[in-house]
Amino acid sequence: MQHLVPAHGRALPRSRTPAPAPRPSADAEALAVLHRSARALMAGLPELTERLMTLLREREPAYRTAMEADAESVRDEVRRSLRLNVESLIRPGELREAARRCSWAIGRARADRGLPLDALLRAFRLGGGMVWQELVDETTRRQPSDARLLVHVAADVWNFVDEHCAVVAEAYRQTERELMWRRENRLRLMTAALLDGTARIADLPATAAALGLPEQGRYAVVLARLPAGRTFADAWGQVHLSGLRVLWYRDRDGGGSYGIVLLAGHPHDEVEPGHSHESGLVDTGPGPVAAAGGAPSDESGGEGERPRSYGLDVDAGEIARRLTAPPGARIGVSPVVEGLATIGDARRLADTALRACPRSGGTVVLEEHLPAALVVSAPVLGAALAERVLGPLLRLDPSDRDIMLETLTAWLACDGSAQRAAGRLYCHRNTVLNRLRRCEQLTGRSLSRPSDVVELSLALAAHCLLDP
């Protein structure tokens, strides 16, 4: 299985076995006995292979399962490992590295096939123990008096077994890391394709299964940008959606985090929340059991909290009500869409909602701020409108300008009530009316004419939302 070791993979760790020191005569005799017994084992390698296969089948359930799936593959691994490891006892200088490469390849292959590492290490130690016992038995059969000499090489043999266990473990862990990275990268690419709207229709069933999301569910997308001084990478740790499952995706280019919010549908049972933070993909909220009506997960599940919801009554406004975020965070919420195929549309609408969010922060549900969304969707036209309608106000002294804009904004927010606007601004009603009359004079717009009020409202939105 040498093809399992990629050319760009990590090099095998070098053996730390010290250079052998000159051996006394007793050790030289022991080596001769060891080599003679090892050659006898090589002559009976097929039988030795089948005996180890039987031992693994009896003692290691994981290997029993592997043999039921592909016995010949396991047999080939056992045969090659025994051959190289026993031969390297005879010719360590020539074959030791080949034996290590074989163990490395087996570690990678078994990690790739999902065999537990503990089972793999026990198999290697089981094989080492069987080889040692065969060496002792072979020596005892041929020359019983020589068996005592094997004591001098016992430490070498078991150090050899430990060395190969370390090689196997390192290969297994490296492969496991690579497989995890590939899986997380695949999930990240799938999520990016959904958000970009580039996912192929034919790929949606596989995407739904991999991400644990229903293909025909109801979704919304939220886009969160944290205030200055907070990292964008951990938005999912600071922006919470009570009772709803959210798949967060870190947008490295835009500096924000997108959340795909599941509102209705049944997630695939085999996928659980919790993708790695390193992949830029994090699944939070209730898992599949909670979604189906089971006990809620620990995430955001305190007393008095809203129940987990996957119902048709959850809309974009309800998402905003369930959101909690740090002060100064800016969040845009898309309308609800049907099916994974429309996630890209929802993402673009969430982008627009975020652009309609005040610079000071807050949550904007696009459906509740459509006039502002229109302005930010055409920023050049919005800027032209602001200049045309508010230009005379904007060219006043800063203090005077801010008072006039604040008064006009408050009057519009209070549905044209000067009395309520005065209460909000902590001034007299007549003061508000005087300022409004001055606004009318400077802008040439009448606050009693609906079309002029619409222009003023849109111009104010453009001035507040668009970058100067």
Side-chain angles (χ1 to χ4, degrees):
M1 296 183 189
Q2 302 303 322
H3 63 281
L4 291 173
V5 183
H8 61 274
R10 180 182 302 179
L12 273 67
R14 293 190 176 276
S15 173
R16 297 181 181 178
T17 307
R23 290 178 176 269
S25 58
D27 283 2
E29 290 180 46
L31 281 175
V33 171
L34 175 66
H35 293 169
R36 187 166 57 246
S37 299
R39 291 188 186 96
L41 262 61
M42 288 300 302
L45 184 62
E47 294 80 5
L48 193 64
T49 299
E50 292 307 317
R51 287 180 58 191
L52 184 52
M53 289 280 289
T54 301
L55 206 57
L56 290 174
R57 188 180 293 109
E58 292 173 352
R59 299 192 184 181
E60 283 299 329
Y63 262 93
R64 184 163 56 247
T65 302
M67 289 177 196
E68 290 171 356
D70 188 359
E72 199 51 44
S73 172
V74 178
R75 181 176 285 105
D76 181 60
E77 286 180 359
V78 170
R79 184 189 302 113
R80 286 189 300 112
S81 181
L82 285 174
R83 178 176 62 81
L84 284 169
N85 289 343
V86 174
E87 280 190 341
S88 64
L89 295 176
I90 304 170
R91 295 178 292 161
E94 299 174 41
L95 297 174
R96 196 174 194 109
E97 285 306 311
R100 285 163 56 81
R101 286 194 296 273
C102 175
S103 295
W104 183 270
I106 291 173
R108 288 185 65 87
R110 286 300 148 193
D112 190 54
R113 295 174 189 179
L115 186 85
L117 177 57
D118 288 348
L120 181 59
L121 292 176
R122 284 195 297 268
F124 263 73
R125 292 192 176 98
L126 202 60
M130 193 185 81
V131 167
W132 173 251
Q133 188 60 51
E134 286 295 316
L135 290 170
V136 173
D137 291 347
E138 179 64 27
T139 302
T140 302
R141 279 194 300 271
R142 289 178 176 270
Q143 190 68 42
S145 61
D146 287 346
R148 60 183 175 77
L149 292 172
L150 291 178
V151 173
H152 296 279
V153 293
D156 290 342
V157 173
W158 284 106
N159 285 340
F160 182 85
V161 173
D162 288 342
E163 176 188 343
H164 280 259
C165 285
V167 169
V168 163
E170 176 62 21
Y172 188 101
R173 293 188 182 104
Q174 177 181 321
T175 305
E176 204 171 36
R177 289 191 294 270
E178 291 172 4
L179 291 173
M180 180 65 71
W181 181 87
R182 288 174 194 162
R183 175 181 177 273
E184 290 177 346
N185 192 53
R186 176 171 172 263
L187 295 177
R188 185 181 61 81
L189 292 174
M190 284 179 168
T191 307
L194 287 178
L195 291 166
D196 290 342
T198 57
R200 300 191 311 161
I201 298 298
D203 295 336
L204 289 179
T207 298
L211 296 176
L213 297 172
E215 187 178 350
Q216 299 304 327
R218 295 176 70 248
Y219 296 96
V221 173
V222 299
L223 172 55
R225 284 190 179 162
L226 300 181
R230 293 177 180 262
T231 60
F232 296 121
D234 62 349
W236 46 78
Q238 301 180 54
V239 178
H240 301 283
L241 251 173
S242 172
L244 293 172
R245 184 179 172 201
V246 187
L247 182 66
W248 286 102
Y249 174 82
R250 182 190 312 161
D251 178 27
R252 291 181 175 86
D253 296 331
S257 292
Y258 288 99
I260 299 175
V261 185
L262 174 60
L263 301 176
H266 297 285
H268 290 253
D269 291 339
E270 69 272 15
V271 181
E272 296 183 357
H275 302 304
S276 165
H277 289 231
E278 293 302 316
S279 70
L281 191 64
V282 174
D283 196 345
T284 63
V289 175
S297 69
D298 290 338
E299 202 274 334
S300 67
E303 282 191 20
E305 198 162 336
R306 295 182 180 88
R308 312 288 185 185
S309 298
Y310 289 86
L312 299 177
D313 60 332
V314 179
D315 58 13
E318 179 64 15
I319 291 174
R321 287 187 287 275
R322 292 176 180 233
L323 268 168
T324 56
R330 300 173 64 235
I331 299 174
V333 182
S334 78
V336 175
V337 297
E338 300 284 343
L340 286 179
T342 57
I343 292 293
D345 296 332
R347 191 272 302 169
R348 285 186 284 275
L349 294 173
D351 288 343
T352 301
L354 187 76
R355 290 197 295 271
C357 187
R359 298 187 186 97
S360 58
T363 298
V364 168
V365 177
L366 185 69
E367 294 170 315
E368 299 173 1
H369 296 79
L370 291 176
L374 285 173
V375 169
V376 298
S377 295
V380 174
L381 293 177
L385 177 66
E387 172 58 30
R388 178 178 176 82
V389 175
L390 301 177
L393 291 179
L394 299 178
R395 285 186 281 275
L396 295 173
D397 290 338
S399 59
D400 198 13
R401 175 200 63 201
D402 293 344
I403 288 175
M404 300 300 290
L405 292 175
E406 184 183 24
T407 301
L408 185 57
T409 301
W411 182 79
L412 289 169
C414 293
D415 300 323
S417 170
Q419 187 68 45
R420 287 165 52 199
R424 177 175 293 193
L425 297 171
Y426 302 102
C427 64
H428 195 275
R429 175 177 177 275
N430 289 340
T431 302
V432 171
L433 292 173
N434 289 335
R435 292 174 184 173
L436 293 175
R437 278 193 292 272
R438 189 177 175 204
C439 285
E440 290 179 315
Q441 293 168 358
L442 289 170
T443 62
R445 267 71 177 176
S446 171
L447 296 179
S448 61
R449 187 180 302 127
S451 60
D452 286 359
V453 173
V454 170
E455 274 197 337
L456 285 164
S457 178
L458 291 176
L460 275 173
H463 172 71
C464 293
L465 297 174
L466 297 176
D467 292 331

